[in-house]
Amino acid sequence: MKDIIILAIETSCDETSAAVVKNGHEVLSNIIYSQIKIHEKFGGVVPEIASRNHINKISEVVDEAIEKSNLNFSDITAIAVTKGPGLVGALLTGLSYAKGLAFVLNKPLLGINHIEGHIMANYITNKDFTPPYICLVVSGGHTNIILVNDYGKYKVLGKTLDDAVGEAYDKVARGLNLSYPGGPKIDALAQNGDPEYIKFPRVYLEEGSLNFSFSGIKSSVLNHINKTKMKNDSINAEDIAASFQRAVVEVLVNKTIYACEINLINRVAIVGGVSCNSELRRLMSEQCLLKGLQLNIQKNIYCTDNAAMVGASGYFKYINNMFDALSLNALPSLSLDEY
Ligand code: KG4
Ligand code: ZN
């Protein structure tokens, strides 16, 4: 069978990324230009600035992805690009570039759902991990428990009713005067803190619910910080970070394991930026071992936003002839049901 080579482009938020992926799992190149340094001083991603920087970098990043793959544009089978969800201006930059390339090179275009991309990252470098499984998607914009019945067959079992878990991390980090993105900084601080220092609320919602709510714990942490400041007491940032992290991770892990039990599934995966979190990895590994569940975790570089996951997703779209017309538009609020 002829190799299927996907050139993939991802620009849904603050990473300009392009990758070349062979047969859905072999990453020939994965170039990521992160805008974090630019947005850091604003405490979060500024959409207009993100779009402008994608425009400045996209051509360079795509050329580098082709060069590093040791292939030529003519070797590409199809072009995959994130169509949503994400920031509309940022998405449009990648989408317009991909459409231009598809037209000029006369290659098929594949529009990819960013959340599905995170899920498809499970297959990169790991052909042995197969559906069905329960996937916990945890990022700056999403918190979902998904039953992956088959490649491209999803059932959303739970979602956040308010903040995404990464968003809660970023907001708590800001309260501790840590710069954006706060997740990795809280994770690092927590290494030296006491996770039992404060018992922050664990929100499970109604019995049996697989939905999440993180705004309560976020407010509880910020209130604690403000009260401490008002009393002129010193803030134990390490203990606060560890206590917050323990509370959030306990809920994520318990709900994911519960989803496996009620659906009689014995495989679990965690994807998205927050799946880099050391405490989430530790507790999920411990619980999966205890319950006899197989756990799949990707390398950090495929957890945070990257185009390789878009390339993996593009492969499955390609083999199922799910092509898009050049009239494809950005879909900022796309959900997984509409993948
Ligand atoms: O998947 P991602 O790169 O972008 C989105 O699709 O949102 O996820 C970014 C999020 C940020 O909120 C960041 O703070 C969080 O992932 N993150 C972490 C860690 N590394 C990244 N959160 C907790 N612990 C980490 N080690
Ligand atoms: Zn993402």
Side-chain angles (χ1 to χ4, degrees):
M1 260 208 12
K2 203 174 172 302
D3 286 330
I4 293 165
I5 312 282
I6 305 287
L7 168 62
I9 296 176
E10 155 65 41
T11 61
S12 67
C13 191
D14 58 344
E15 268 90 24
T16 317
S17 182
V20 177
V21 180
K22 186 169 149 185
N23 300 330
H25 63 270
E26 201 180 322
V27 180
L28 303 183
S29 64
N30 184 34
I31 309 301
I32 303 169
Y33 165 72
S34 170
Q35 300 180 7
I36 282 175
K37 282 269 158 293
I38 298 165
H39 297 281
E40 215 171 24
K41 54 180 169 293
F42 302 104
V45 178
V46 183
E48 184 55 30
I49 296 177
S51 315
R52 284 166 198 259
N53 280 283
H54 285 310
I55 294 171
N56 290 343
K57 278 283 168 186
I58 185 85
S59 168
E60 189 185 319
V61 167
V62 169
D63 287 352
E64 201 181 333
I66 291 289
E67 196 187 311
K68 290 265 160 61
S69 72
N70 287 323
L71 296 175
N72 297 308
F73 278 107
S74 57
D75 300 315
I76 300 299
T77 315
I79 294 163
V81 60
T82 305
K83 62 180 175 184
L87 304 170
V88 67
L91 288 165
L92 278 170
T93 312
L95 200 61
S96 307
Y97 200 85
K99 287 201 261 185
L101 274 180
F103 180 71
V104 169
L105 301 171
N106 197 21
K107 306 281 181 191
L109 180 73
L110 306 152
I112 304 299
N113 182 314
H114 181 82
I115 311 170
E116 184 179 42
H118 276 300
I119 298 171
M120 290 283 181
N122 278 309
Y123 313 120
I124 299 175
T125 67
N126 187 358
K127 278 195 290 182
D128 302 329
F129 189 77
T130 53
Y133 59 92
I134 295 289
C135 191
L136 176 69
V137 183
V138 274
S139 73
H142 312 281
T143 310
N144 286 309
I145 295 183
I146 291 159
L147 170 59
V148 182
N149 273 313
D150 204 344
Y151 299 99
K153 299 260 178 303
Y154 309 109
K155 188 172 177 200
V156 180
L157 303 176
K159 59 180 192 309
T160 180
L161 302 181
D162 39 59
D163 290 357
V165 64
E167 198 181 343
Y169 262 95
D170 295 337
K171 288 176 180 167
V172 164
R174 208 182 304 169
L176 289 170
N177 288 327
L178 303 168
S179 60
Y180 172 85
K185 284 148 200 149
I186 297 235
D187 194 359
L189 263 186
Q191 302 303 315
N192 302 315
D194 174 9
E196 307 298 332
Y197 175 66
I198 303 170
K199 187 98 181 156
F200 287 122
R202 275 81 167 147
V203 177
Y204 284 92
L205 303 167
E206 70 275 17
E207 188 161 351
S209 171
L210 291 174
N211 288 331
F212 297 97
S213 169
F214 295 108
S215 67
I217 181 166
K218 175 199 68 187
S219 305
S220 174
V221 178
L222 296 178
N223 283 343
H224 173 83
I225 296 170
N226 289 337
K227 275 190 203 150
T228 313
K229 275 185 188 161
M230 268 157 42
K231 285 194 266 171
N232 279 329
D233 287 346
S234 62
I235 290 171
N236 298 330
E238 291 172 341
D239 294 333
I240 293 171
S243 301
F244 162 73
Q245 180 155 285
R246 174 63 61 83
V248 163
V249 165
E250 258 182 36
V251 176
L252 290 173
V253 171
N254 287 340
K255 288 201 180 235
T256 306
I257 302 282
Y258 179 64
C260 288
E261 286 170 354
I262 56 173
N263 288 283
L264 305 176
I265 299 284
N266 63 1
R267 280 196 289 273
V268 183
I270 53 175
V271 300
V274 183
S275 68
C276 296
N277 186 264
S278 63
E279 177 66 4
L280 176 59
R281 289 178 174 210
R282 185 198 65 75
L283 195 63
M284 193 68 93
S285 305
E286 181 191 285
Q287 287 302 308
C288 284
L289 196 66
L290 206 70
K291 306 271 179 181
L293 306 170
Q294 184 193 346
L295 174 63
N296 196 49
I297 308 179
Q298 271 293 354
K299 284 186 194 156
N300 283 6
I301 200 75
Y302 301 132
C303 293
T304 45
D305 287 351
N306 67 90
M309 68 186 198
V310 175
S313 205
Y315 167 79
F316 288 98
K317 282 254 146 76
Y318 183 86
I319 58 175
N320 288 302
N321 296 314
M322 295 168 80
F323 303 114
D324 282 291
L326 290 179
S327 55
L328 179 68
N329 206 350
L331 300 162
S333 314
L334 188 68
S335 77
L336 194 62
D337 311 316
E338 309 161 90
Y339 78 96

